[in-house]
Amino acid sequence: MGPPKHVPEPRAADIGRIERQLRQRRERLKELERLDCFHTVPTEELEGLIDLGTFRAFPIHKTIIHERDQRDFLYILLQGSVRLVLHDKEGHEVLMGILDRGDCYGVGALFGDFFRRSGAYTETDCYVLQLPLVDVRALLATAPVLHTVFRQLYMQRMAEFTLVRVPLFSHLLPVERMALVRSIKSKHYPRGSVVVQQNEPADALYLIESGQVIVEEYDQAIATLNEGDFFGEMALLSHEPRAATVRTLTPADILILPAEAFHLLLAEHPGLKARFQDVLTQRRSAGKRLRDDQGQMERLNQIVQHGLLRGSHLLIRTPELCPPGCRICEEACTARHGNTRLHLNGVLLGSQDILSACRQCHVGAECMEACPEDAFAWDDRGALHITDACTGCGECIPACPYEAVDRVPRTGDIGQQTLVQRFNPIQYIRGLGRYSIPLEATGHSHRADKCDLCHGHEDLACLSACPTGSLRLVPVEEVLPI
Ligand code: CMP
């Protein structure tokens, strides 16, 4: 045995620093415990938040986050007030509300809402706890009370955001919208669910929080409605049975305002009643115009059946501009991606061919929902791409109603892959408190593949290659003016 190792005495300065840090941590914990929203949360769960967060000060009249910015953080307001602003369906700026001490901002992104975004701007000097969303999500897996608290805040915030986006409701005061939220229930409907049945009596007004629905009269599509739209007002206002059936075209989250609460609201706001009446009149005459135009009606049915309204853009081609036998666009796609992700002669609408390719479904994308690996992600351009997390399991392929996803061999022979590529990803084993590298080759010989508007490239290979300008990527409204 050698001489005992010399363990240096801690220096007084170090002890002082550690004591200061501990004192600061206790004070911050107390600060969180005093907030109303956390009064049911056990101390050890709140300690988790303190460990993850950064305490930050924002001066008056500064932007914490813009409406369009990527959401990476959850903020808990400890001091000061913050103005939340977003734009309704018609592009008008609407004050969502003023956040005060104890309010949270960013819970939407915490549970996966990527579409409704508000900007947050300081009204006074503010002091916030800023928490990385990825870490909070991991923490919630082991913090059940905190999870419930954030989930409730999320449900409430989502309902408020939906009301704001309905132009009719965006004129209400924030406190009135909050009161309305208390009467509202949110329900998730899988694709193809009947929400309202023609000829049945009315019991509620429905507001689309996310997803898309189709309105049908005697099995004929007469309209589609999207996030921020409402339906069910006709029967409520006319006291007649439902004029149409409303069915979900995509998985949808829908807010339900019971009939009594709706009538109460109109009694309190006569102006609102007149505006609902205007919508009813417009919809009735639009329905009549459509019924009188058989061609347009068939067009609408085709649009719905092929999911052409599910994204924001479509790849379209004018066949008469294409030289006979030309498939340069398909070939350019293959040259870039190893296989073609688009096919000519998709849906022929008038003189235009809407290519058979991924629709980049903006809400309720079934491929994304079916993926067990969370391997689908949005990019800044609104394209849905498949990340390296894809194992090629193929679950997304039957999930897509438009046959837009393929299973293709991975490029490169598995024998040529690096060690890192060949072995399963490093995993953190919670119980052991350490990382582990499973020594088992992944064998992921295939992967899912679909059009992602050439994610990661500056241009779209097909568009750049088209020699005649026949192929174009256009906003949906340009091709389908309904
Ligand atoms: P209600 O009759 O209560 O139930 C069916 C709903 O479909 C109806 O209210 C409207 O909200 C909606 N609806 C009917 N016709 C149209 C249309 N042409 N455009 C949009 N929505 C419609």
Side-chain angles (χ1 to χ4, degrees):
M1 245 172 67
K5 278 212 179 100
H6 173 69
V7 181
E9 287 286 317
R11 288 187 302 131
D14 290 339
I15 296 174
R17 183 171 46 79
I18 292 167
E19 277 176 354
R20 262 195 317 281
Q21 282 172 350
L22 285 174
R23 205 167 40 245
Q24 192 183 42
R25 189 181 150 84
R26 275 195 303 273
E27 280 161 12
R28 287 175 165 177
L29 187 63
K30 271 204 210 116
E31 217 165 332
L32 283 194
E33 281 173 337
R34 279 197 293 265
L35 299 180
D36 282 351
C37 59
F38 292 143
H39 72 94
T40 53
V41 182
T43 306
E44 54 288 6
E45 293 192 13
L46 288 181
E47 277 175 337
L49 282 186
I50 301 265
D51 293 339
L52 297 178
T54 313
F55 288 79
R56 288 188 62 183
F58 286 90
I60 181 169
H61 297 151
K62 283 279 174 268
T63 302
I64 297 183
I65 190 155
H66 279 294
E67 217 167 312
R68 301 185 69 81
D69 285 351
Q70 158 119 3
R71 311 279 121 155
D72 293 324
F73 297 102
L74 172 75
Y75 300 91
I76 299 171
L77 190 55
L78 299 168
Q79 216 175 297
S81 58
V82 168
R83 189 164 48 94
L84 282 192
V85 169
L86 57 61
H87 288 83
D88 71 14
K89 266 175 75 69
E90 290 169 1
H92 305 124
E93 188 179 286
V94 183
L95 175 66
M96 265 297 297
I98 303 285
L99 300 187
D100 288 318
R101 191 181 126 75
D103 284 328
C104 296
Y105 175 67
V107 272
L110 185 61
F111 292 102
D113 164 61
F114 298 104
F115 297 98
R116 286 157 298 246
R117 292 173 166 184
S118 59
Y121 310 94
T122 57
E123 292 266 287
T124 63
D125 291 341
C126 291
Y127 184 50
V128 303
L129 173 58
Q130 176 180 301
L131 298 144
L133 282 172
V134 253
D135 297 337
V136 179
R137 283 193 200 105
L139 172 72
L140 293 192
T142 55
V145 185
L146 208 49
H147 186 278
T148 310
V149 166
F150 281 135
R151 185 90 213 167
Q152 278 165 351
L153 282 171
Y154 168 76
M155 301 297 281
Q156 185 186 333
R157 191 58 50 79
M158 285 303 102
E160 283 168 31
F161 273 39
T162 304
L163 287 187
V164 163
R165 297 201 67 244
V166 179
L168 258 60
F169 290 127
S170 64
H171 293 79
L172 298 178
L173 295 172
V175 286
E176 291 173 322
R177 281 197 302 269
M178 270 153 76
L180 202 54
V181 163
R182 280 184 223 115
S183 320
I184 281 177
K185 268 201 324 240
S186 174
K187 188 167 168 191
H188 180 78
Y189 291 87
R191 180 158 62 92
S193 315
V194 170
V195 185
V196 154
Q197 180 75 53
Q198 189 172 5
N199 292 327
E200 294 216 333
D203 52 357
L205 180 82
Y206 299 83
L207 302 140
I208 306 172
E209 196 171 20
S210 70
Q212 210 171 45
V213 301
I214 180 167
V215 182
E216 293 166 321
E217 259 178 19
Y218 305 105
D219 294 333
Q220 285 282 347
I222 58 162
T224 60
L225 299 172
N226 296 295
E227 187 180 314
D229 285 331
F230 59 83
F231 56 91
E233 80 295 348
M234 287 187 177
L236 287 174
L237 291 171
S238 65
H239 302 285
E240 286 172 7
R242 296 287 188 199
T245 293
V246 181
R247 198 163 47 84
T248 54
L249 267 182
T250 66
D253 290 305
I254 295 184
L255 300 180
I256 305 171
L257 179 68
E260 313 79 71
F262 175 75
H263 289 301
L264 202 65
L265 180 73
L266 297 200
E268 283 167 5
H269 299 271
L272 199 55
K273 182 167 185 179
R275 297 172 68 194
F276 267 110
Q277 281 288 359
D278 288 347
V279 173
L280 180 152
T281 312
Q282 281 164 19
R283 286 180 170 176
R284 276 196 180 144
S285 47
K288 179 165 178 348
R289 272 199 309 278
L290 193 69
R291 276 192 298 278
D292 293 344
D293 183 345
Q294 199 55 36
Q296 179 72 340
M297 202 125 162
E298 274 163 24
R299 209 170 133 87
L300 177 59
N301 274 305
Q302 211 178 0
I303 288 166
V304 166
Q305 187 190 336
H306 294 285
L308 302 184
L309 291 169
R310 294 195 55 180
S312 62
H313 287 72
L314 291 168
L315 271 172
I316 65 160
R317 178 178 77 99
T318 311
E320 65 211 40
L321 292 180
C322 296
C326 177
R327 303 197 94 90
I328 286 180
C329 51
E330 285 181 345
E331 286 157 15
C333 183
T334 307
R336 181 169 284 175
H337 305 295
N339 47 279
T340 186
R341 297 169 165 187
L342 49 90
H343 300 280
L344 305 186
N345 305 320
V347 183
L348 205 63
L349 274 186
S351 61
Q352 280 162 340
D353 170 26
I354 298 177
L355 265 56
S356 172
C358 172
R359 312 278 184 243
Q360 319 294 338
C361 296
H362 269 189
V363 275
E366 286 90 338
C367 52
M368 197 174 193
E369 289 193 358
C371 178
E373 308 297 335
D374 254 345
F376 285 79
W378 293 101
D379 71 11
D380 298 344
R381 294 185 300 179
L384 190 58
H385 68 278
I386 301 173
T387 68
D388 289 344
C390 172
T391 59
C393 71
E395 297 276 329
C396 51
I397 296 167
C400 171
Y402 316 111
E403 299 179 4
V405 192
D406 282 325
R407 189 163 177 266
V408 299
R410 267 176 203 280
T411 34
D413 171 19
I414 208 157
Q416 293 169 358
Q417 290 179 357
T418 63
L419 261 184
V420 174
Q421 285 166 334
R422 285 185 66 182
F423 292 100
N424 279 331
I426 298 174
Q427 291 169 359
Y428 183 68
I429 312 281
R430 241 174 220 292
L432 298 178
R434 64 175 169 78
Y435 289 90
S436 124
I437 308 172
L439 287 177
E440 184 193 308
T442 62
H444 298 148
S445 56
H446 285 67
R447 62 180 172 81
D449 192 67
K450 66 168 203 70
C451 172
D452 55 13
L453 303 180
C454 287
H455 169 74
H457 296 271
E458 292 212 328
D459 65 333
L460 269 70
C462 53
L463 292 188
S464 300
C466 177
T468 63
S470 161
L471 189 66
R472 293 182 303 136
L473 181 73
V474 294
V476 163
E477 310 82 60
E478 194 179 302
V479 210
L480 314 167
I482 55 162

